[in-house]
Amino acid sequence: MAKIVVDNISYVYPLRDGVGLKAIKNLSLEIGEGEYVALTGMNGSGKSTLAKLLNGLFKPISGRITVDGISTSDENSVFEVRKKVGMVFQNPDNQTVATLIEDDVAFGPENLGLPREELISRVDYALDAVGMSEFRGREASKLSGGQKQRVAIAGVLAMRPEVLILDEATSMLDPEGRAEVLDVVGKLNKQGITVINITHNMEEAALARRVIALRKGRLAIDGTPAQVFSSSLLEACGLSLPPAAALARLLEETCDFAAGNIIDEATLAEEICRQLR
Amino acid sequence: MQAIEIKNLSFVYSARTPNEKRALDDINLSVEEGSLVALVGATGSGKSTLIMHLNGLIKPQDKKRSSIVVHDMSASDKKALKKLRFEVGMVFQYPEYQLFADTVAKDIAFGPKNMKLSAEEVDARVRRAMQVVGLDYDEFAGRSPFDLSGGEKRRVAIAGVIAMQPKILVLDEPVAGLDPAGRKELLALIKTLQREISPTVVLVSHNMDDVARLADRVVALKDGRIVADGAPRDVFADRQLVKDIGLDVPFAARVVDNLEEKGISLDKHIITDEELYNALTDLFASAGKLKKPAPEEEFFDDEFFDDEEFFDDDSEEDEEEDIIKDDPEQECTVPEGACLEAEENDGSEKTKNRRKDMTSDKGPARARGEGGGNV
């Protein structure tokens, strides 16, 4: 059953008087409950705009988006949508509101006017889910980038969202921080949270079960990572193959080697070993 | 000749408070003029603190012990400070956030104007900087930098720095947040900038593949100390050291390690995709499993510098289509199918062209690539 239904939406950014920039054009897609989707495409393809449309920060100028059947365009119910769809943004330094980590995580649910016990249990759950419980009394500003992003995710989790959108949430992190965040995201997805990860990193996109690529505000490719990486539209979308896939294909051209659906280096090494025999 | 000479440099944040943190611990580093040095290390290892010393944004705390000399100028000398800042161009992370003027040309002119150059010279430098970063003057000079794409904005920001024609260019994570095409384009641009404008480049990066491909030398920091320094090939070959520092190795080296586990031993000094590809084809060749002669050596270079696709992109045409007037709904009714079909054709066409480029020997794509798309 579809969790999110995007039905023929368009979105225009107003630029100057009467002039606008079309960022999303007649886009339709469905995302099912519990899916792990990577949303990709070149800079300016409409990824972030779509993310902001999905939790009602923006409203489509035509068409309709529903989350669990609730429309994002309806002022009376948009808050319900925002409770269901949580977002984590790019810059780890722009997303903390409180000095102490536990206060920061409590900020969202506090605003729901929850009783204290419920608040505490939510903060406990959220910090535990991202592996940051031992840091709860520390200052947010003293954390590494990866830790800050995990706290940002915890802040969203404390709202008990059903959908987690990461808008290039790993792009400012070092490799270690990136791995920490992706590990947490994978675990949350296994617990049933629908994940939409916006990324330019093809190895990261390959972690998802479904990859959606936008091009100039339209849906260009939609499929499994293997399908997407073999699409003839990949380059037109400003995307590249993960390095293991690119190398496998080069080998295929010159050697007796079948590239198949190789995406990561471990599979590449395995296949080289097997096919050399 | 040394472009940068750092001696006994230490730096402590919040000294004599409970939050005291030693960011740099007795750094000694010389950077030779004309080299491209990659500065690597985990978040918090001291990279940013170190580069901010290079143009006097941070002054050495212990003036007696430490010294920083950049092209014969002392970074502690207040009188030389202004000159130092023109000499060392700093491109910080996400430099496009620092754009401020209402046109691209005015934004780029800000630096050279502060150098008190004549109006003609400022104009000439703006044009030259735009040319080098691949922004067409007639098309972009009068536009607002805020209406540009992410990749274009970043190139405007970089143009604003190189318009001062610094002898040393410091780039802090220059490709972070760009899409794969934009990354490739900007990485190729770094070599162009080094050749055309700034002979010495200091590149801060978390991406070891970029480091392996671009840098002559890699300097690794950990907890404010230099823990590795050498040619990327040699530094990455010491896997235990790389692991101890908390760094990744390039993709090619990871494949080598994966193969090693399975009993296939390749040279630990392999760090680029091209070297790995060559080693693997040798392996297949000795197993008698070669299809046809391997492509020429510069295969990967060609792919890497093949930025033709970015420059003759059809975005111009499309942007006009995207800018709409008055009635926003009007143009949103293009039937989806028609457009997707057009794009599919477009895509396969590009793939075809690209194949051709990759197999043709040193074709026009390469020539253009080397000139930053301006030859």
Side-chain angles (χ1 to χ4, degrees):
Chain A
M1 135 107 200
K3 185 87 183 161
I4 299 174
V5 179
V6 175
D7 184 12
N8 199 25
I9 58 156
S10 293
Y11 185 77
V12 174
Y13 283 102
L15 288 180
R16 298 173 287 274
D17 313 313
V19 179
L21 181 74
K22 275 202 290 185
I24 300 284
K25 302 163 196 166
N26 304 87
L27 182 73
S28 295
L29 55 89
E30 287 187 6
I31 292 172
E33 177 131 38
E35 273 199 80
Y36 188 156
V37 180
L39 182 59
T40 185
M42 62 175 87
N43 293 110
S45 61
K47 306 178 300 288
S48 295
T49 309
L50 177 60
K52 287 175 185 135
L53 283 158
L54 291 180
N55 83 340
L57 284 173
F58 294 163
K59 305 206 178 351
I61 59 157
S62 64
R64 198 171 115 97
I65 298 177
T66 56
V67 178
D68 283 339
I70 307 167
S71 167
T72 61
S73 300
D74 184 348
E75 281 299 337
N76 299 318
S77 55
V78 70
F79 194 69
E80 286 305 308
V81 172
R82 294 208 182 119
K83 267 201 271 184
K84 287 177 187 287
V85 183
M87 279 184 82
V88 177
F89 296 95
Q90 183 177 45
N91 192 335
D93 293 320
N94 292 348
Q95 295 176 73
T96 37
V97 291
T99 313
L100 295 184
I101 286 160
E102 57 186 351
D103 295 345
D104 191 71
V105 175
F107 179 79
E110 253 178 339
N111 283 324
L112 299 177
L114 297 171
R116 187 177 156 76
E117 297 72 44
E118 169 72 9
L119 200 61
I120 291 170
S121 94
R122 283 193 179 204
V123 172
D124 287 349
Y125 152 77
L127 284 172
D128 185 51
V130 300
M132 290 294 290
S133 298
E134 55 179 308
F135 292 87
R136 60 183 309 148
R138 303 243 200 121
E139 279 179 50
S141 61
K142 294 279 188 300
L143 300 179
S144 74
Q147 290 170 334
K148 280 180 194 165
Q149 285 299 62
R150 278 150 67 196
V151 170
I153 293 175
V156 170
L157 286 181
M159 299 294 280
R160 295 273 157 98
E162 291 155 42
V163 181
L164 178 64
I165 301 180
L166 302 131
D167 191 355
E168 294 190 44
T170 62
S171 68
M172 294 180 85
L173 305 180
D174 62 16
E176 203 177 321
R178 178 188 290 264
E180 286 169 10
V181 168
L182 291 174
D183 184 49
V184 163
V185 169
K187 279 185 190 143
L188 291 171
N189 179 249
K190 285 206 180 77
Q191 291 164 20
I193 292 181
T194 307
V195 171
I196 301 173
N197 184 18
I198 300 179
T199 181
H200 285 140
N201 183 308
M202 293 299 114
E203 288 167 274
E204 204 172 294
L207 295 175
R209 282 190 294 278
R210 176 181 173 194
V211 179
I212 295 173
L214 298 184
R215 181 173 188 265
K216 292 174 180 166
R218 295 179 198 276
L219 187 71
I221 323 176
D222 183 356
T224 62
Q227 285 168 340
V228 170
F229 293 133
S230 54
S231 164
S232 61
L233 287 171
L234 196 68
E235 275 190 59
C237 292
L239 304 177
S240 60
L241 287 172
L247 190 75
R249 278 166 208 214
L250 282 172
L251 280 177
E252 191 172 51
E253 280 181 25
T254 52
C255 307
D256 287 333
F257 181 79
N261 285 332
I262 293 171
I263 290 170
D264 62 292
E265 56 243 34
T267 322
L268 174 68
E270 242 164 62
E271 283 300 308
I272 289 171
C273 207
R274 196 177 63 80
Q275 298 190 34
L276 262 177
R277 273 192 212 111
Chain B
M1 195 191 127
Q2 303 301 339
I4 304 168
E5 284 252 41
I6 298 172
K7 285 195 183 128
N8 309 322
L9 180 65
S10 296
F11 192 86
V12 180
Y13 283 107
S14 315
R16 291 178 297 278
T17 74
N19 294 327
E20 178 170 309
K21 185 180 184 314
R22 183 166 288 270
L24 295 176
D25 191 0
D26 203 30
I27 298 281
N28 285 283
L29 178 69
S30 301
V31 175
E32 192 162 341
E33 185 168 15
S35 59
L36 199 158
V37 177
L39 198 56
V40 303
T43 312
S45 59
K47 304 185 300 287
S48 300
T49 310
L50 180 58
I51 62 170
M52 284 194 279
H53 276 90
L54 296 180
N55 75 343
L57 284 173
I58 301 180
K59 311 247 171 32
Q61 278 175 332
D62 187 344
K63 287 192 182 92
K64 280 189 195 119
R65 264 197 93 235
S66 319
S67 80
I68 301 171
V69 177
V70 177
H71 281 296
D72 297 328
M73 284 178 294
S74 165
S76 313
D77 180 0
K78 273 191 187 152
K79 281 176 215 146
L81 195 59
K82 209 164 181 183
K83 183 140 185 287
L84 179 76
R85 294 211 172 134
F86 296 137
E87 204 92 330
V88 183
M90 252 328 152
V91 178
F92 288 108
Q93 275 185 46
Y94 295 84
E96 58 274 22
Y97 293 158
Q98 297 168 42
L99 297 172
F100 66 97
D102 55 356
T103 72
V104 167
K106 279 189 206 165
D107 206 292
I108 298 171
F110 181 77
K113 265 190 180 159
N114 277 329
M115 297 172 83
K116 305 249 182 333
L117 300 170
S118 68
E120 294 80 49
E121 177 64 16
V122 169
D123 183 58
R125 286 193 172 206
V126 170
R127 285 171 186 268
R128 169 120 172 86
M130 287 182 70
Q131 186 212 344
V132 173
V133 301
L135 290 169
D136 182 65
Y137 185 87
D138 295 326
E139 190 192 337
F140 287 98
R143 286 177 66 182
S144 163
F146 304 103
D147 291 350
L148 305 179
S149 77
E152 286 164 350
K153 275 185 200 166
R154 190 159 303 179
R155 276 187 282 161
V156 172
I158 292 173
V161 173
I162 63 164
M164 295 186 284
Q165 302 188 349
K167 289 206 187 85
I168 298 167
L169 186 63
V170 182
L171 300 157
D172 189 357
E173 291 281 354
V175 298
L178 293 183
D179 58 43
R183 286 177 65 89
K184 213 164 105 177
E185 183 186 336
L186 195 52
L187 288 170
L189 176 64
I190 292 173
K191 282 284 186 192
T192 310
L193 292 177
Q194 189 184 18
R195 195 177 50 240
E196 306 269 321
I197 312 269
S198 311
T200 310
V201 176
V202 177
L203 171 73
V204 176
S205 178
H206 287 313
N207 186 315
M208 296 306 131
D209 284 285
D210 297 347
V211 170
R213 248 180 306 202
L214 288 171
D216 309 316
R217 175 180 169 197
V218 51
V219 174
L221 291 183
K222 189 185 183 188
D223 302 328
R225 286 172 173 273
I226 294 178
V227 285
D229 183 355
R233 189 173 308 291
D234 301 328
V235 171
F236 290 130
D238 191 344
R239 300 287 204 272
Q240 189 56 47
L241 174 72
V242 171
K243 203 178 154 209
D244 291 345
I245 303 169
L247 289 179
D248 266 356
V249 291
F251 161 75
R254 291 203 302 272
V255 175
V256 169
D257 289 351
N258 269 295
L259 285 169
E260 172 109 24
E261 274 173 35
K262 298 183 167 41
I264 298 177
S265 203
L266 292 178
D267 187 356
K268 290 255 190 236
H269 289 80
I270 290 175
I271 52 169
T272 68
D273 295 8
E274 182 189 5
E275 291 160 0
L276 176 62
Y277 171 76
N278 287 337
L280 289 173
T281 45
D282 287 351
L283 219 54
F284 276 88
S286 55
K289 294 193 170 193
L290 219 53
K291 244 180 219 156
K292 51 187 182 233
E296 55 155 354
E297 289 235 321
E298 263 129 356
F299 200 81
F300 273 93
D301 274 353
D302 270 341
E303 189 196 16
F304 185 51
F305 289 112
D306 168 19
D307 47 4
E308 178 158 43
E309 65 199 279
F310 314 113
F311 289 99
D312 67 24
D313 189 55
D314 51 350
S315 56
E316 211 178 307
E317 178 194 317
D318 265 57
E319 219 148 281
E320 257 174 90
E321 183 217 311
D322 285 350
I323 305 281
I324 51 167
K325 286 183 183 161
D326 286 318
D327 183 3
E329 267 105 337
Q330 197 194 331
E331 284 202 41
C332 297
T333 50
V334 186
E336 168 114 354
C339 267
L340 265 183
E341 209 173 272
E343 277 175 0
E344 242 158 283
N345 285 335
D346 176 32
S348 54
E349 196 62 39
K350 277 203 169 168
T351 315
K352 258 185 267 160
N353 285 339
R354 188 176 164 78
R355 283 262 161 78
K356 211 168 55 207
D357 284 343
M358 284 169 76
T359 42
S360 74
D361 50 341
K362 298 179 184 125
R366 185 176 166 77
R368 284 184 76 168
E370 289 199 334
N374 291 293
V375 173

